[in-house]
Amino acid sequence: MKHLVSGLALSVALAVPALAQDTKVIGVSIPAATHGWAGGMNYFAQAAIDRLEEAYPELDFVLATASDPGKQVNDIEDMVATRNIDALVVLPFESEPLTGPVQNVKASGAWITVVDRGLSVPGIEDLYVAGDNPGFGRVSGEYMASAMPDGGKIVVLRGIPTTIDNERVEGFEAAIEGKNIEVIGMEHGNWNRDDSFTVMQDFLSRHPQIDAVWASDDDMAVGVLAAIEAAGRDDVKFVLGGAGMKEMVKRVMDGDTMIPANVTYPPSMIATAIEITAVGLVSQAPVSGNFIIGSVLVTPENAETFYYPDSPF
Amino acid sequence: MTDPVLALSNVSRSFGPIEVLHGVSMALRPGRVHALIGENGAGKSTTMKIMAGYQPPSSGTVHVDGRETAFASLGEAEALGISLIHQEFNLAEQLTAEQNIFLGQELKRGLLLDKRAMRARTRELLDRLDCRVPADRVVSQMSNSDKQMVEIAKALLRDTRVLIMDEPTAVLTKSETAVLMRQVRALRDKGTAVLFTSHKLDEVREIADDLTIMRDGAVVFSGPAEGMDERAMATAMVGREMSDLFPAKTGRFGDMALEVRGLTVPGFAEDISFTLRRGEILGIAGLIGSGRTETFEGLCGLRPATGEVRIKGQPVTIRHPWEALDLGMCYLTEDRKTRGLLLQKGMRENLTLQALHSFARGLIDKGAEETALTRAIAEFDIRGSRAVRVGNLSGGNQQKLLFAKTMLSSPEIVIIDEPTRGIDIGTKQQMYGFIRGLADQGRAIVVISSEMQEVIGLADRVLVMRQGRIAGEVQGASLTEDAIVQLAMGVGQRAPVLETAQ
Amino acid sequence: MTVKPQARPKVSMSVIGPIAALIALIVMGALMNPNFLGPDNISNVLSRSAFIGIIAVGMTFVITAGGLDLSVGSMAAFVAGLMILVMNAALPSLGIGVPIILLGMATALVAGLIAGWLNGFLITVLGIEAFIVTLGSMGIYRSLVTWLADGGTLSLDFGLRTFYQPVFYGGILGISWPIIVFAVVVILGEIAMRSSVFGRHCAAIGSNDQVAKYSSVRVGRVRMATYVMLGLLVGVATIMYVPRLGSASSSTGVLWELEAIAAVIIGGTLLKGGFGRVWGTVIGVLILTLIGNILNLTDFVSPYLNGAIQGLIIVLAVVLQRESKPGA
């Protein structure tokens, strides 16, 4: 009798991992929605997961959002320890602190997809999906140069001091070099509306003549526009934001002269990454490699194709 | 007579332009107990601080073992075997007895603390002092007398030759005082020089070998204590003949002011019933811990309590102190430093805190506050600059200010807990006069006190509490120390500690 | 009475300290950029100070009474988000006009009041540490606004925003509304702190709540009132904030609580309670805003070091207040 009971317990114990092998678990770890772009990214991640769970019943998803790198490391460790994930889609908060933990996940045999920000050791990821930050800066710079053929004075608002921000600004500076465009001020607006409003107010006090603004981000463009409007200055011809926020794309589409163009950096790249990873797990299709999503210039002519009214971003 | 171990010679001390000590000379000798007495503000504390190296003299010299010494730091005085025990103890409240005693002198074995050795040494020191408190008891959970013993143990550990104590008995009960006195005698017999201050002149007469009396920053008497009785001491301190300490009892009472039946303060007091008439002073006696304070805090809504209370015949419910105040009843705390006064604030803010609404018509009328302060200073003879923080006033003046503050909201029923703790005899006499004066105005007064003489001298009738209950009532001719002690300790048995204190 | 401490000097360092720091900053700014003292920049700096300033006045009372509130930044974001949602929702029925603006303002005030009351309730009635309670509510409000905005940004309807905008940008006689409201709040706050029973009770409770209790002060009620008042002022600040950009997101009001607390302490209010002054808080807020302003107006320092400069000046302003202590 005793043997029978323990035998039963054993078979139950064995059955659980057997069941688990049928469903595959994909862990998704992304930064929390602390600014507009990240909010859009969260939206697209959730939407992709909802859609994929419906399409592939054999897939199970774990989504975790982290407000700092330490929290993100904990999330990833928890996923491995408690959910035994088969694949990890990660948008690292910062490259350095996440490299080791992701490497450990890789060692456990899971598939690794890295999104947007590369890890500091190459070769860990099976799939790399990213926007093109130097390209984002270059496209922005080229637009600036073409919009001001006779040159002019501009101010630049930068994001939170990170590699992403540096790559964009370097790309921008390279593109406007020798084009007679003078950058008369550059400060961090931290991808934040309030901060960019304050910085722009002070730029306006400091410089009597500003021809254009590279806000480098649509959230910052909102603050910049409000500051210009409040100061009643008409020397600023246009503001170039970036990332493709729906309100800004709409204004481009409507032919607003203050917002003549935009440069994409789609937060939906997370959806691309999750989708490709899912396909890789359920099918035989080869999906490893690099997938770079280029930054495209949005103009009144093509704006309609970049306008997603349902997205929160 | 032996040579002095510590002596002051013509020492003066000034704070800014004000000289507070004028040419003080006195000497402490090994194996003798020296009492330093004087009214509040006479310069006792400053004198002691100079002796213990807390402050340097402005002029004059300090001699240790006959050599002129200038202490560069506290540690230097301590290294020479001089310890000062403050009235408000200098113990880390959250540490244990053992940790406090060894603070800064921890025994170590290698890199780690040698806890076993420290515990054993602590036990030995506390046993020597007849103190039963466990070595690992946290100081914040000790009684005042145990704290005192820990302080003394701390001094003993440091091979103290001169032990200076600032009012060691002010917060002790009579039996605790007896234990302390026994320890002081034991230290003296081992050759320690002991200096202490006290306002209790009977204690001084009982134990002091030498006596120094100060008045207004100068020594008016210094020499052997023999032949100085309490009256002579008081006269020297005050500088005038002391008339009778207590005002005459009138025995004229008015209507019923307060009726309490079955008052229970959970955990502290049970089934307390009494009545109080206008013009009457009701004394409350009992040992510390018998629930006296808690009973009246419960009555005034300062702690949860149940029971039947009638004021002027009307049944009332009091859940908060302001409800008691609205009914004309007010409790004056025994703990003026942590519950009575805002030590960081000036006299004006303290005086009007309780009655602030009567000074405000929308905004506070500061002029009216100043006028009230002027009146209070005159009425209650509060001395000290109006600009000074209350924490810098002497104990007696703090007590007078607390009294003035309470009276500003004109309560009809005044409950005064320890009205004269730690204040000098001259001020005591004034306080007794004020209290009797309030009764004569037709107010009903309750006086809670640990000082037997005070209760007997002041009260018309005395309730004695024991273990949270009323043990009995004494009045008229039967109002004697003996009767109160019997009730307080439990009927029929006399306290052994009290006998040793005779 | 013999031991008399020296008479305190007529004007103490704690009064001169913050004022000196403010004057030094103004002189520095004026030397570095001629536009610094221009009316536009002054107006910018003052209206920018208004949000934190209005909140910091409330914080002065909370801290004076021995409390602390870490939730104000998140609370402001939450109240702003709620206000935008309510106004957008009421737009079809009320249309653009004064009533909907009044509805939005009422929402902000009521939401602030309730949020402050909740903090106060947990602290005074249930007796939980203020630090823990407000740390908790800080996280709760921050999450709630993220949730309300679905991770993105809540934006006021464009037409409505244009109509509401004058509340931030407009004003009387060239002085914008935020500055006027800030000034009124400061004047009322200063009077209340100096001369009202409430202010005196706050100081008494902060310096020793036992003494206050034994003096028949309604300790719980006064403490509660400080939190409710702070919540209400957060509502007022939000009313000024929303028309500026017409949006709220999870990044709204980040670190406002620390700026408000820093302003209060720079102004000379004691962090442990017992003494507070509203005018000092105003100086503190101006110092904090001016540092950012001056750094934006000049290229002296790498923008990476902005935080360091700010930290340095905060510490200096407090060091300047130290009274020289008598020899220990």
Side-chain angles (χ1 to χ4, degrees):
Chain A
M1 190 64 197
K2 200 177 171 190
H3 286 242
L4 188 63
V5 171
S6 58
L8 262 175
L10 191 66
S11 65
V12 170
L14 282 172
V16 173
L19 261 173
Q21 264 162 17
D22 290 336
T23 27
K24 294 197 166 167
V25 183
I26 300 180
V28 179
S29 170
I30 53 175
T34 50
H35 57 277
W37 188 86
M41 194 252 308
N42 274 254
Y43 165 81
F44 284 112
Q46 191 62 56
I49 287 171
D50 290 348
R51 193 170 61 245
L52 291 169
E53 276 187 331
E54 193 136 324
Y56 304 110
E58 67 270 40
L59 286 184
D60 207 0
F61 289 87
V62 194
L63 174 67
T65 61
S67 46
D68 62 82
K71 165 89 165 54
Q72 195 172 23
V73 170
N74 295 345
D75 286 347
I76 292 174
E77 284 170 356
D78 289 351
M79 284 178 189
V80 175
T82 64
R83 299 300 302 267
N84 197 20
I85 51 172
D86 300 285
L88 172 68
V89 178
V90 58
L91 199 160
F93 220 103
E94 277 169 33
S95 305
E96 283 296 336
L98 267 303
T99 299
V102 174
Q103 205 160 18
N104 292 341
V105 181
K106 173 74 181 170
S108 77
W111 174 277
I112 304 292
T113 302
V114 173
V115 190
D116 192 34
R117 287 156 226 190
L119 299 173
S120 47
V121 175
I124 298 174
E125 67 274 9
D126 297 286
L127 171 65
Y128 180 52
V129 179
D132 179 7
N133 284 310
F136 178 93
R138 195 187 63 246
V139 171
S140 305
E142 282 165 358
Y143 177 78
M144 275 283 175
S146 68
M148 293 190 289
D150 303 328
K153 293 177 173 170
I154 65 164
V155 292
V156 174
L157 283 96
R158 310 182 54 160
I160 295 168
T162 48
T163 325
I164 297 175
D165 184 59
N166 289 342
E167 285 177 358
R168 288 179 178 182
V169 172
E170 279 161 22
F172 181 82
E173 283 175 332
I176 60 168
E177 200 168 315
K179 295 286 180 14
N180 201 22
I181 289 173
E182 191 193 345
V183 178
I184 53 174
M186 195 186 273
E187 285 284 346
H188 289 279
N190 304 324
W191 292 319
N192 177 301
R193 295 182 181 195
D194 291 314
D195 290 359
S196 64
F197 178 86
T198 307
V199 168
M200 191 62 206
Q201 270 196 331
D202 290 343
F203 276 153
L204 290 167
S205 305
R206 185 174 158 197
H207 305 291
Q209 173 70 35
I210 299 172
D211 296 314
V213 182
W214 185 43
S216 84
D217 174 81
D218 287 335
D219 264 326
M220 291 203 283
V222 171
V224 167
L225 287 167
I228 295 170
E229 197 183 332
R233 288 268 291 261
D234 48 14
D235 49 322
V236 185
K237 304 289 181 305
F238 68 91
V239 175
L240 180 62
M245 183 198 276
K246 65 179 178 192
E247 288 86 357
M248 288 295 163
V249 175
K250 181 82 167 45
R251 287 175 81 167
V252 175
M253 206 159 79
D254 296 347
D256 189 330
T257 52
M258 275 305 272
I259 312 290
N262 204 302
V263 180
T264 62
Y265 193 83
S268 55
M269 69 173 73
I270 189 74
T272 313
I274 297 173
E275 204 132 351
I276 299 176
T277 307
V279 168
L281 278 195
V282 298
S283 74
Q284 305 300 317
V287 294
S288 55
N290 290 351
F291 193 100
I292 304 300
I293 299 164
S295 283
V296 182
L297 187 70
V298 180
T299 58
E301 289 74 43
N302 67 358
E304 212 156 338
T305 53
F306 297 95
Y307 183 55
Y308 310 104
D310 293 338
S311 159
F313 184 64
Chain B
M1 206 179 273
T2 47
D3 287 333
V5 55
L6 177 64
L8 298 184
S9 166
N10 203 21
V11 161
S12 297
R13 169 76 198 180
S14 303
F15 292 101
I18 302 154
E19 189 175 272
V20 296
L21 284 189
H22 321 293
V24 169
S25 300
M26 59 185 287
L28 307 186
R29 297 169 202 279
R32 289 182 75 83
V33 176
H34 196 130
L36 176 61
I37 61 174
E39 292 194 79
N40 286 323
K44 302 185 302 277
S45 295
T46 312
T47 305
M48 284 188 291
K49 283 178 183 160
I50 290 172
M51 284 184 164
Y54 280 63
Q55 287 172 359
S58 303
S59 68
T61 50
V62 181
H63 298 267
V64 178
D65 298 326
R67 269 193 311 279
E68 192 179 322
T69 312
F71 303 121
S73 69
L74 276 180
E76 225 168 277
E78 214 177 272
L80 287 168
I82 301 164
S83 290
L84 169 63
I85 298 179
H86 291 268
Q87 188 182 357
E88 285 86 33
F89 306 120
N90 229 344
L91 296 170
E93 290 273 321
Q94 298 308 320
L95 297 186
T96 63
E98 171 196 330
Q99 286 164 337
N100 265 293
I101 289 172
F102 281 90
L103 194 62
Q105 307 215 340
E106 289 84 357
L107 301 180
K108 289 189 193 129
R109 199 165 46 192
L111 283 174
L112 303 177
L113 293 175
D114 188 352
K115 285 195 183 158
R116 190 189 302 188
M118 286 196 282
R119 176 134 330 163
R121 188 95 177 85
T122 300
R123 191 65 268 153
E124 180 196 325
L125 288 170
L126 290 176
D127 282 346
R128 234 169 91 190
L129 295 170
D130 256 2
C131 176
R132 304 264 160 266
V133 76
D136 57 358
R137 171 79 50 88
V138 173
V139 165
S140 61
Q141 292 173 3
M142 290 182 189
S143 69
N144 281 325
S145 61
D146 285 339
K147 288 182 188 175
Q148 188 88 351
M149 292 307 164
V150 171
E151 280 276 18
I152 296 174
K154 199 171 156 183
L156 289 178
L157 181 74
R158 286 155 176 76
D159 287 330
T160 296
R161 296 188 299 148
V162 180
L163 182 62
I164 303 171
M165 293 186 282
D166 191 358
E167 289 199 39
T169 61
V171 293
L172 300 188
T173 60
K174 200 146 188 171
S175 58
E176 290 168 341
T177 303
V179 175
L180 178 72
M181 288 304 161
R182 202 157 59 226
Q183 299 319 316
V184 167
R185 285 198 190 93
L187 286 172
R188 173 183 67 186
D189 296 344
K190 292 199 180 83
T192 311
V194 180
L195 174 75
F196 77 102
T197 61
S198 176
H199 289 303
K200 300 175 184 169
L201 300 182
D202 51 339
E203 264 169 38
V204 172
R205 191 174 48 89
E206 186 187 317
I207 196 167
D209 303 309
D210 296 320
L211 181 64
T212 296
I213 303 175
M214 293 184 72
R215 189 169 72 229
D216 297 332
V219 170
V220 293
F221 173 89
S222 193
E226 272 163 36
M228 290 292 280
D229 64 5
E230 279 140 271
R231 197 173 192 85
M233 290 187 222
T235 306
M237 275 165 61
V238 183
R240 57 185 151 86
E241 274 293 317
M242 288 296 297
S243 53
D244 202 1
L245 198 52
F246 295 100
K249 299 179 189 182
T250 56
R252 282 192 302 274
F253 309 139
D255 302 336
M256 191 61 82
L258 176 67
E259 292 155 90
V260 175
R261 194 178 303 160
L263 183 78
T264 295
V265 182
F268 296 101
E270 225 174 304
D271 197 23
I272 305 290
S273 303
F274 65 91
T275 58
L276 178 64
R277 291 183 173 278
R278 296 167 67 103
E280 185 182 22
I281 299 180
L282 176 66
I284 307 290
L287 302 176
I288 287 180
S290 60
R292 299 173 310 184
T293 294
E294 291 81 0
T295 300
F296 287 91
E297 287 186 347
L299 178 64
C300 290
L302 288 154
R303 2 177 128 244
T306 56
E308 213 177 296
V309 180
R310 285 166 186 271
I311 288 179
K312 291 184 199 160
Q314 298 299 314
V316 295
T317 315
I318 299 169
R319 279 181 313 256
H320 297 288
W322 56 87
E323 289 171 351
L325 193 65
D326 287 347
L327 292 164
M329 180 163 72
C330 188
Y331 168 81
L332 212 146
T333 178
E334 60 177 328
D335 194 347
R336 60 176 173 258
K337 281 180 196 285
T338 64
R339 288 178 175 164
L341 296 170
L342 298 169
L343 302 181
Q344 300 301 317
K345 303 276 176 197
M347 283 198 215
R348 177 170 57 86
E349 287 96 327
N350 272 289
L351 178 70
T352 57
L353 183 58
Q354 182 151 280
L356 198 53
H357 284 284
S358 62
F359 289 90
R361 252 165 238 87
L363 298 179
I364 297 170
D365 181 352
K366 293 201 175 101
E369 283 187 285
E370 289 291 353
T371 313
L373 179 57
T374 308
R375 210 164 34 213
I377 287 174
E379 189 180 345
F380 294 99
D381 188 30
I382 304 170
R383 292 174 225 173
S385 156
R386 298 167 77 116
V388 75
R389 285 179 181 168
V390 163
N392 292 334
L393 291 178
S394 71
N397 284 311
Q398 286 180 349
Q399 189 69 17
K400 288 175 181 171
L401 180 63
L402 182 59
F403 208 71
K405 165 185 161 182
T406 310
M407 295 322 298
L408 205 54
S409 37
S410 338
E412 288 292 305
I413 304 167
V414 193
I415 300 155
I416 312 169
D417 201 347
E418 301 289 4
T420 64
R421 175 178 285 176
I423 65 179
D424 64 70
I425 192 149
T427 311
K428 268 185 186 177
Q429 192 188 23
Q430 285 182 311
M431 292 299 299
Y432 298 145
F434 296 145
I435 293 172
R436 178 51 73 185
L438 294 178
D440 291 348
Q441 289 164 22
R443 295 178 214 262
I445 315 281
V446 174
V447 171
I448 306 171
S449 178
S450 296
E451 277 189 51
M452 217 67 83
Q453 286 306 325
E454 187 166 291
V455 183
I456 294 166
L458 199 55
D460 297 305
R461 183 160 60 96
V462 175
L463 293 179
V464 184
M465 286 189 68
R466 189 168 75 89
Q467 292 173 358
R469 288 172 178 277
I470 291 183
E473 182 179 318
V474 279
Q475 57 180 316
S478 61
L479 182 45
T480 62
E481 198 163 334
D482 221 36
I484 293 175
V485 168
Q486 284 197 26
L487 287 168
M489 307 296 295
V491 184
Q493 62 195 85
R494 297 271 324 248
V497 278
L498 281 172
E499 279 165 350
T500 56
Q502 292 306 310
Chain C
M1 204 43 237
T2 40
V3 186
K4 280 183 193 161
Q6 291 139 285
R8 277 186 277 176
K10 277 269 178 276
V11 189
S12 67
M13 270 319 283
S14 78
V15 173
I16 297 171
I19 297 177
L22 181 66
I23 291 173
L25 270 178
I26 291 174
V27 169
M28 210 156 71
L31 291 178
M32 285 179 180
N33 193 307
N35 294 334
F36 178 75
L37 289 178
D40 285 348
N41 194 52
I42 290 178
S43 171
N44 282 347
V45 166
L46 289 176
S47 20
R48 214 176 275 175
S49 306
F51 310 134
I52 304 250
I54 290 169
I55 294 173
V57 169
M59 189 70 84
T60 310
F61 284 88
V62 169
I63 292 181
T64 300
L68 191 69
D69 192 337
L70 296 173
S71 70
V72 289
S74 305
M75 197 192 287
F78 172 68
V79 172
L82 199 67
M83 187 176 165
I84 290 170
L85 278 181
V86 167
M87 288 170 83
N88 282 347
L91 188 58
S93 50
L94 286 180
I96 294 173
V98 176
I100 197 166
I101 303 297
L102 292 179
L103 173 72
M105 291 181 171
T107 306
L109 295 179
V110 171
L113 199 85
I114 293 173
W117 183 87
L118 274 175
N119 277 341
F121 176 81
L122 291 168
I123 293 163
T124 59
V125 180
L126 299 189
I128 310 172
E129 275 301 324
F131 186 90
I132 294 301
V133 168
T134 59
L135 190 68
S137 48
M138 167 168 110
I140 291 169
Y141 295 132
R142 181 68 62 204
S143 295
L144 280 178
V145 73
T146 313
W147 177 70
L148 286 179
D150 229 351
T153 304
L154 287 163
S155 293
L156 197 58
D157 177 84
F158 189 75
L160 200 51
R161 188 193 148 213
T162 316
F163 184 77
Y164 189 7
Q165 249 176 357
V167 173
F168 181 77
Y169 297 103
I172 309 173
L173 302 171
I175 301 170
S176 73
W177 281 114
I179 302 178
I180 295 169
V181 173
F182 184 26
V184 169
V185 168
V186 165
I187 291 168
L188 292 179
E190 178 70 25
I191 292 172
M193 184 63 90
R194 241 176 221 277
S195 302
S196 78
V197 172
F198 173 64
R200 185 74 68 80
H201 280 176
C202 283
I205 291 169
S207 56
N208 187 333
D209 58 354
Q210 284 293 313
V211 172
K213 177 182 161 191
Y214 277 79
S215 304
S216 307
V217 173
R218 303 185 185 200
V219 175
R221 205 162 82 166
V222 173
R223 280 224 168 101
M224 171 70 94
T226 62
Y227 289 100
V228 170
M229 182 172 121
L230 178 54
L232 196 67
L233 287 173
V234 167
V236 172
T238 312
I239 290 173
M240 303 286 129
Y241 171 80
V242 167
R244 185 167 85 168
L245 296 174
S247 65
S249 70
S250 56
S251 65
T252 299
V254 169
L255 293 185
W256 281 12
E257 60 280 348
L258 288 189
E259 280 195 46
I261 294 170
V264 170
I265 304 309
I266 292 172
T269 297
L270 295 176
L271 185 55
K272 63 176 165 43
F275 175 78
R277 52 184 186 210
V278 170
W279 67 262
T281 299
V282 177
I283 305 242
V285 171
L286 291 178
I287 287 177
L288 288 178
T289 316
L290 278 180
I291 297 169
N293 181 243
I294 290 172
L295 289 172
N296 280 341
L297 289 178
T298 54
D299 288 323
F300 263 22
V301 198
S302 156
Y304 295 136
L305 286 174
N306 280 7
I309 303 287
Q310 213 159 34
L312 204 68
I313 292 176
I314 292 173
V315 173
L316 266 179
V318 176
V319 167
L320 277 179
Q321 294 180 29
R322 273 163 41 97
E323 306 277 346
S324 56
K325 286 185 180 164

